[in-house]
Amino acid sequence: MIEGPYKVLLVDDDEDDYLLTRELLQDIDPQRYHLEWAVTYEAGWEAIQRRAHDVYLLDYRIGARTGLELLREAMAAGGHAAPFIMLTGQGDREVDLEAMRTGAADYLVKAELKGDALERAIRYALERKHAEDALRQRTEDLQRSNAELEH
């Protein structure tokens, strides 16, 4: 496991959800997670563009827009170095599947959210991203080596 501390961005327009997420992360390990909060879609997009976080938690409903739209926008802008986890007030299989197809690392229902589940989702998302990056680097190195051998 890659050790923290981790910078987590929560994009959610509900202060109660922010306070709950902050409490869950502090209960897990207050030294490991530093939570920042973007209260609007626009503020979330600006923060995502800075690429200063290790993981992104996106609420499904962000005012008149959705976290799924924000995820699509981030992926269309060339993907991202950090994983995205979608949070929602209710489980919806279609939204879940669409989020995963779009690039979300996980999909969590807030009413069922406990500290250990959130920590596990973050840990798995970070580990998977690390493994994907290592595989991508090995593939690029192999392609470079093969190109050099051909010359």
Side-chain angles (χ1 to χ4, degrees):
M1 160 99 188
I2 308 161
E3 293 302 318
Y6 302 111
K7 290 177 72 178
V8 179
L9 177 69
L10 172 66
V11 183
D12 193 324
D13 60 353
D14 186 330
E15 184 176 12
D16 289 338
D17 288 339
Y18 162 70
L19 294 172
L20 175 64
T21 304
R22 184 181 69 182
E23 183 178 310
L24 290 173
L25 291 175
Q26 286 178 346
D27 286 348
I28 296 164
D29 185 343
Q31 303 304 313
R32 180 174 285 170
Y33 300 100
H34 174 74
L35 182 65
E36 294 180 22
W37 180 34
V39 71
T40 66
Y41 182 100
E42 294 76 17
W45 176 236
E46 288 176 18
I48 289 168
Q49 288 179 305
R50 286 193 298 273
R51 297 178 180 257
H53 298 89
D54 298 303
V55 66
Y56 299 96
L57 305 175
L58 306 179
D59 186 25
Y60 181 70
R61 288 273 171 224
I62 309 167
R65 313 247 348 237
T66 69
L68 194 52
E69 291 174 74
L70 187 54
L71 177 60
R72 282 188 189 115
E73 194 168 349
M75 293 300 141
H80 212 276
F84 291 84
I85 298 172
M86 186 72 64
L87 304 174
T88 185
Q90 71 248 358
D92 181 327
R93 189 170 192 284
E94 290 304 313
V95 174
D96 179 356
L97 293 173
E98 185 61 27
M100 300 306 277
R101 280 187 220 114
T102 303
D106 209 339
Y107 179 89
L108 302 171
V109 178
K110 293 179 193 178
E112 301 167 4
L113 196 56
K114 304 282 188 247
D116 59 339
L118 179 59
E119 191 271 337
R120 184 175 44 252
I122 291 172
R123 184 168 31 94
Y124 286 3
L126 289 168
E127 287 292 329
R128 185 172 35 247
K129 186 67 175 167
H130 179 71
E132 288 169 358
D133 290 347
L135 180 60
R136 185 177 311 108
Q137 184 61 50
R138 279 188 230 130
T139 301
E140 290 171 3
D141 291 347
L142 262 172
Q143 289 172 341
R144 253 190 312 279
S145 294
N146 287 339
E148 289 172 5
L149 284 173
E150 288 179 9
H151 283 74

